[in-house]
Amino acid sequence: MISGAIDLGGTKIEARLFDGMMQTVAVKRVSTPREDFASFLAALVEQIRWLEATGENASLPIAISIAGLIDPKTGIATASNIPVSGHNLGLALRESLGRGLPMVNDCMAFAYSEAHGGAAEGADSVLGLVLGTGVGAGFVIEGRIPPRHAGLAVEIGHLGMPARALERHRLPIWTCGCGRIACNENYTSGTGLRRIAEWAGLADPEPQSVASRASADAESARVMQIWADLTGEMIYSAQLMLDPQVIVLGGGLSNIPRLPEMLSEAIGKLRLGQVRLPDIRVALHGDSSGARGAALMAKAGMA
Ligand SMILES: [Zn+2]
């Protein structure tokens, strides 16, 4: 069955059409209108119409993967980089399209994709951890996204980094975009890694260059070691709460060479007694994994 997905983010609205084998057959990207809800909605509806036309099916299964939260009871959206906060996006789409489309948080869609034909195929519980500009995560148990009370994903990026970890490296306390201080993502995201590199005085603090220099340059290696230790602390928190069988890494930082080994080593040092550790793997479906997860959910008829 052909299906489609919208990957809805702060910079682009991407429409992606999949064939019956979940291979991408067409993609169309437009910039996300940031000025107001009306122009944003018009651009989104146009992308959905393009999917229906290209898929030659007016009732093509389509779901929306959104970099934000939708309250499951009220339908009200909350997003920091898309002009939808306070709006009922589902209702607005239903009025424009004449049908409702399922919507899912992008990190949840990512975890769902990797649990179904991805890096965590066959695992009972999967944490999809996206290390990008920020940090987000999604959770799948026995192939399903657990019911959400408020529409939250696994908001691990905004849990606090343990004081013990910051103290270990004498790192400063940084303020987060959410208004609190010392959130995990201030240290473990791509932005966080750059900030640690700047704090350590590296001339080129770009995350990918720090990572690639680490094999030859001691200062870069030290920065990567600190970042991996802090990311290990964050993963350890997730393990204590969710005890996932597999953790799948996505986002820009997931390209860092030997990342699963580095992070496994980091959580190994924190482990509680001989408690079994989760298996850490890199995503199989890359940047399109969230869209793929949403399309799979659309096909399964999941809201
Ligand atoms: Zn925060």
Side-chain angles (χ1 to χ4, degrees), residues 41 74-75 87-97 99 103:
L41 183 66
T74 64
H87 292 275
N88 190 324
L89 182 58
L91 192 64
L93 276 178
R94 187 183 288 276
E95 283 166 0
S96 301
L97 299 167
R99 64 167 173 149
M103 282 184 282

Side-chain angles (χ1 to χ4, degrees), residues 9-10 18 25 73 77 83 95 115 121 142 152 177 188 193 203 206-207 215 218-219 234 260 279 293:
F18 295 91
V25 288
K73 291 187 181 63
E95 283 166 0
E121 172 68 34
E142 294 179 335
L152 293 170
T188 61
L193 174 51
E206 276 309 303
S215 53
E219 275 304 292
M234 177 174 76
D279 190 358

Side-chain angles (χ1 to χ4, degrees), residues 33 35 62 64 111 203 300:
E35 53 279 14
I62 300 171
I64 297 172

Side-chain angles (χ1 to χ4, degrees), residues 157-159 175-186:
H158 297 286
L159 292 184
T175 301
C176 186
C178 74
R180 294 191 247 298
I181 59 167
C183 287
N184 277 325
E185 74 168 32
N186 304 138

Side-chain angles (χ1 to χ4, degrees), residues 204-260:
D204 177 4
E206 276 309 303
Q208 298 298 341
S209 20
V210 177
S212 59
R213 284 196 314 265
S215 53
D217 168 50
E219 275 304 292
S220 301
R222 180 174 157 258
V223 166
M224 288 309 296
Q225 208 60 54
I226 294 172
W227 175 82
D229 180 49
L230 297 175
T231 306
E233 283 279 0
M234 177 174 76
I235 292 176
Y236 179 61
S237 302
Q239 189 199 6
L240 292 182
M241 285 186 290
L242 300 168
D243 191 15
Q245 183 184 347
V246 175
I247 295 177
V248 183
L249 306 171
L253 294 186
S254 66
N255 301 325
I256 291 175
R258 292 190 62 258
L259 186 61

